[in-house]
Amino acid sequence: MDRNKGQKKYFIRTYGCQMNEHDSEKISWILTNMDYSETESMEEADLIIYNTCLVRENAEIKVYGNLGALKKLKREKPDLIIAICGCMMQREEIRNVITSKYKHVDIIFGTHNIHKLPQLINNHLKTGKTIVDVLEDSREIVEDLDANRKYFFKAFVNIMFGCNNFCSYCIVPYTRGREVSREPENILSEIKELAKSGCKEVTLLGQNVNSYGKTLSREYDFVDLLRAINEIDGIERIRFMTSHPKDLSDKLIEAYKSLDKLCEHLHLPVQSGSNRILKEMNRKYTREDYLLIIKKLKEAVPNIAITTDIIVGFPGETEEDFNDTLELVKEVEYDSAFTFLYSIREGTRAARMKNQVDDKIKHARFQKLSQVLNEISLRKNEKLLGETFEVLVEEVSKNNPEVLTGRTRSNKLVHFKGDKNLIGTMVNVKIEEAKTFFLEGTIV
Ligand code: SAH
Ligand code: SF4
Ligand code: F3S
């Protein structure tokens, strides 16, 4: 749907993960149906929406800062509607802060009731009051929501919602509720529609995709779903986010060998290399379990790229625990990794742990870990020099209008010269330069 046709204008800012990004695409679709069009300028907007994240403190602080700055705008333009949604709004104590200290906010809604937005806007317009509408948890999946997707050639597709894992540091189970899987028929028909409209790549979204199917009324698991998607004409690449090591099956490892569209990349968050810390984190696997999965994967798919998430400075982490993480990183040889300083999240079990790590030590470990990871990334990228890869062309580089960027099946970012008409197509690129975070090459 054309998001630039509506009379009124909305501005949306998204914080956090792909789940939120995709929720914002759904909100955008809803608003387009309400005769709104998107604007990149807050000053121009009739409606401003912040889709928030609570996973770490810095995400939260950013929202409060940006929200404060909207006060002036609202004063100058009293008809402006300000709405906040997303993970922060699932927490009552945060809603209370917003309603008491940020009185210029007009609408508060949550992660389970995006579909009610038109009703909430109308209620606000009718009453002039602040509307707060949040569902604490919901097993109901609203299927009739479409999305205004950012790219026509690649798409996020939800396969499940929520999380049951309760890793002791993590707030997500308290914001996204209990795990629930979408019916395969609904997922497959969405992907078929996407393929018809030119989509080549799908990224299946869930907090723990390996446990897909557990809430369905029949036997059907993640690999069954992958097999069915692999049959859909037009789809050329299948990706997924995120996997939990405790549920990663041999069946999935085998699937990499038999499913030609499944991309040679796995994002497998390890969080820590220390068994003691993994236990405290409630991750339910050991370092040895994790390394065994990696060994099997590399045997099955020798060119697979492996990426991860790591938390530094979890409560009680000693120098020895941290060294275990460094050693694991060197053994796995990650292609890249997201590293995070442990952040206290009120309401989680780890927040109540007494032995919080000193900030200075956390930062020093973070620096050391980043350095080791970067050296490995560069070394792995240098091994690709001279090779040619299929690249899905994504966009024009922000720094150079003559340069295009795209991704290999292994999810490596590649820069190369080319015409912007190539966006959305597959090209072959020969790698000529290797950097830590991307590759450079020429179309051949
Ligand atoms: N469901 C996914 C992603 C969860 S959030 C998964 O399990 O992998 C993404 C990442 O944020 C996590 O993998 C973790 O590394 C990080 N994270 C979550 N809570 C955090 C906290 N309190 N402090 C620092 N990092 C955190
Ligand atoms: Fe958070 Fe763990 Fe669930 Fe991931 S699996 S969302 S880290 S609780
Ligand atoms: Fe995602 Fe942040 Fe929510 S990481 S699930 S938007 S808390």
Side-chain angles (χ1 to χ4, degrees):
M1 194 181 292
D2 189 345
R3 61 167 94 186
N4 298 314
K5 275 222 170 110
Q7 301 292 315
K8 292 167 285 179
K9 291 197 162 28
Y10 74 90
F11 171 94
I12 188 160
R13 177 170 281 163
T14 310
Y15 305 80
C17 66
Q18 288 91 345
M19 285 279 172
N20 259 19
E21 265 180 58
H22 188 39
D23 283 350
S24 289
E25 293 177 337
K26 293 179 192 171
I27 292 171
S28 162
W29 179 82
I30 293 173
L31 292 172
T32 308
N33 279 318
M34 292 183 72
D35 201 28
Y36 276 95
S37 64
E38 189 170 15
T39 171
E40 308 261 306
S41 141
M42 272 203 275
E43 286 71 26
E44 214 181 79
D46 303 293
L47 167 65
I48 294 178
I49 300 190
Y50 284 172
N51 188 5
T52 62
C53 169
L54 189 59
V55 79
R56 282 170 293 275
E57 193 184 12
N58 48 10
E60 207 182 330
I61 289 172
K62 257 192 246 162
V63 170
Y64 287 125
N66 291 334
L67 209 52
L70 286 185
K71 249 184 209 160
K72 187 167 161 270
L73 208 57
K74 178 85 177 181
R75 225 180 292 132
E76 289 163 3
K77 201 172 164 182
D79 286 343
L80 170 69
I81 303 175
I82 298 176
I84 327 184
C85 62
C87 288
M88 278 173 71
M89 295 308 109
Q90 289 299 125
R91 305 289 296 164
E92 194 185 354
E93 68 277 13
I94 297 182
R95 294 198 295 273
N96 290 341
V97 172
I98 301 288
T99 48
S100 60
K101 295 201 182 136
Y102 296 83
K103 292 194 189 298
H104 54 300
V105 172
D106 301 301
I107 300 171
I108 292 176
F109 61 108
T111 55
H112 299 295
N113 61 347
I114 286 174
H115 59 283
K116 284 181 74 183
L117 183 57
Q119 196 185 323
L120 305 181
I121 293 177
N122 287 335
N123 279 355
H124 168 71
L125 289 174
K126 236 190 276 159
T127 62
K129 293 207 168 107
T130 305
I131 308 291
V132 183
D133 194 324
V134 174
L135 270 178
E136 289 289 337
D137 195 0
S138 172
R139 310 250 157 157
E140 183 205 1
I141 296 179
V142 179
E143 280 296 346
D144 50 6
L145 277 188
D146 207 339
N148 275 347
R149 290 182 160 93
K150 197 168 160 199
Y151 305 94
F152 69 89
F153 51 87
K154 63 170 191 173
F156 291 131
V157 175
N158 292 118
I159 64 166
M160 58 205 297
F161 300 93
C163 180
N164 286 353
N165 291 312
F166 292 95
C167 301
S168 63
Y169 50 81
C170 184
I171 198 72
V172 172
Y174 305 92
T175 69
R176 292 274 169 178
R178 294 294 64 73
E179 190 178 291
V180 47
S181 298
R182 275 179 86 190
E183 290 293 332
E185 290 71 25
N186 293 331
I187 299 170
L188 295 171
S189 68
E190 180 176 352
I191 297 177
K192 280 177 195 155
E193 282 303 312
L194 284 166
K196 267 193 230 154
S197 61
C199 178
K200 295 191 168 84
E201 179 182 296
V202 287
T203 301
L204 311 177
L205 294 182
Q207 297 297 351
N208 175 14
V209 293
N210 305 99
S211 70
Y212 173 78
K214 283 189 182 157
T215 60
L216 298 174
S217 52
R218 65 194 141 126
E219 288 285 309
Y220 193 93
D221 67 17
F222 182 53
V223 176
D224 297 328
L225 182 68
L226 289 175
R227 282 199 192 115
I229 299 171
N230 202 64
E231 298 300 313
I232 297 177
D233 286 339
I235 298 297
E236 296 180 40
R237 292 175 165 193
I238 307 170
R239 304 186 184 281
F240 54 85
M241 288 277 276
T242 302
S243 288
H244 194 304
K246 82 176 164 64
D247 295 313
L248 197 131
S249 63
D250 287 345
K251 193 171 163 189
L252 178 64
I253 297 176
E254 284 302 307
Y256 273 103
K257 289 200 268 186
S258 58
L259 302 181
D260 59 321
K261 297 177 182 175
L262 191 55
C263 289
E264 294 78 16
H265 169 224
L266 179 67
H267 184 69
L268 193 63
V270 68
Q271 313 299 359
S272 168
S274 152
N275 278 336
R276 204 177 61 80
I277 296 293
L278 286 171
K279 193 150 196 294
E280 290 293 312
M281 288 177 161
N282 193 30
R283 290 289 288 181
K284 301 197 174 80
Y285 55 85
T286 62
R287 163 196 185 92
E288 291 74 25
D289 297 332
Y290 187 92
L291 288 170
L292 182 62
I293 296 172
I294 300 295
K295 182 168 170 274
K296 286 187 196 166
L297 268 167
K298 285 184 176 170
E299 275 166 14
V301 197
N303 59 344
I304 195 162
I306 298 168
T307 59
T308 199
D309 293 347
I310 300 173
I311 297 177
V312 174
F314 182 84
E317 184 188 74
T318 62
E319 212 51 38
E320 203 183 334
D321 295 320
F322 176 66
N323 279 331
D324 284 347
T325 300
L326 283 181
E327 288 309 311
L328 180 132
V329 160
K330 288 178 194 160
E331 192 167 336
V332 175
E333 294 196 294
Y334 289 109
D335 289 82
S336 68
F338 294 112
T339 47
F340 306 107
L341 289 167
Y342 168 73
S343 169
I344 297 178
R345 302 290 67 207
E346 288 311 330
T348 64
R349 195 154 62 75
R352 295 192 293 274
M353 294 179 182
K354 295 277 174 276
N355 43 358
Q356 300 291 333
V357 176
D358 180 78
D359 262 358
K360 254 199 192 140
I361 296 177
K362 267 194 215 174
H363 281 95
R365 288 180 188 162
F366 187 88
Q367 290 302 332
K368 175 74 191 158
L369 177 62
S370 304
Q371 187 199 332
V372 170
L373 281 164
N374 290 349
E375 280 166 16
I376 297 171
S377 296
L378 182 60
R379 198 165 65 225
K380 290 202 86 172
N381 282 347
E382 280 170 350
K383 282 195 189 146
L384 306 177
L385 287 171
E387 285 193 48
T388 298
F389 293 98
E390 177 201 270
V391 171
L392 175 55
V393 186
E394 295 193 343
E395 53 205 353
V396 176
S397 160
K398 287 175 187 75
N399 305 323
N400 183 345
E402 284 175 24
V403 171
L404 300 173
T405 66
R407 290 196 182 255
T408 65
R409 283 173 60 100
S410 60
N411 209 32
K412 302 259 178 191
L413 183 63
V414 188
H415 291 199
F416 48 94
K417 283 206 168 134
D419 189 275
K420 67 176 189 313
N421 290 333
L422 291 171
I423 289 173
T425 66
M426 300 283 183
V427 295
N428 287 317
V429 177
K430 187 173 178 196
I431 305 305
E432 287 153 348
E433 188 97 47
K435 311 270 193 211
T436 308
F437 301 111
F438 65 97
L439 302 163
E440 284 175 6
T442 305
I443 297 181
V444 290

